[in-house]
Amino acid sequence: MTAQDQDRDPWDEFDRLKPAAPDRVAGYPGGEPQGFGFRTGVRSARVAAGFAVYALVLGTVLVLTGAVVFAAEGQWLMLGFLAVVESVFILAFMWLLAQARNRRTPR
């Protein structure tokens, strides 16, 4: 690397580029994403529901693994804590499904 390359701002080339297309929504390059609450760009209710199911299954598997370990060791307080964690997973699942059903329509 030469001294000239080190003195150059790496964003100069990016700043010189023109937008590929005008913004559909001012301030959001490429337009405002239409997600289900997280601005993820999810367009399909099936994809959003699939993500909610995936999050629930992953969380439940982790909680069940912990529950087996804690039950085997006789740590009943931690087992109760995992029951609370699982209830949070279920509530979050219901919240994500509601957002998937009631997502905003594209403008």
Side-chain angles (χ1 to χ4, degrees):
M1 218 173 175
T2 65
Q4 182 182 11
D5 288 339
Q6 290 178 351
D7 294 336
R8 190 171 58 92
D9 183 13
W11 289 102
D12 280 344
E13 181 181 354
F14 177 77
D15 290 336
R16 283 193 306 266
L17 294 175
K18 301 229 184 296
D23 293 345
R24 290 178 286 183
V25 177
Y28 290 96
E32 185 177 11
Q34 302 292 325
F36 54 94
F38 302 121
R39 293 187 174 170
T40 58
V42 174
R43 304 273 189 245
S44 166
R46 295 176 89 184
V47 171
F51 174 75
V53 169
Y54 170 76
L56 177 68
V57 169
L58 181 64
T60 301
V61 166
L62 292 173
V63 166
L64 287 176
T65 302
V68 168
V69 169
F70 290 138
E73 294 178 0
Q75 295 183 0
W76 306 114
L77 184 63
M78 290 303 290
L79 188 62
F81 174 71
L82 285 179
V84 171
V85 169
E86 181 62 21
S87 66
V88 169
F89 277 124
I90 292 170
L91 290 174
F93 171 74
M94 293 186 326
W95 177 68
L96 285 173
L97 276 184
Q99 284 188 340
R101 282 189 216 105
N102 299 324
R103 68 191 195 292
R104 293 179 293 170
T105 57
R107 293 181 182 126

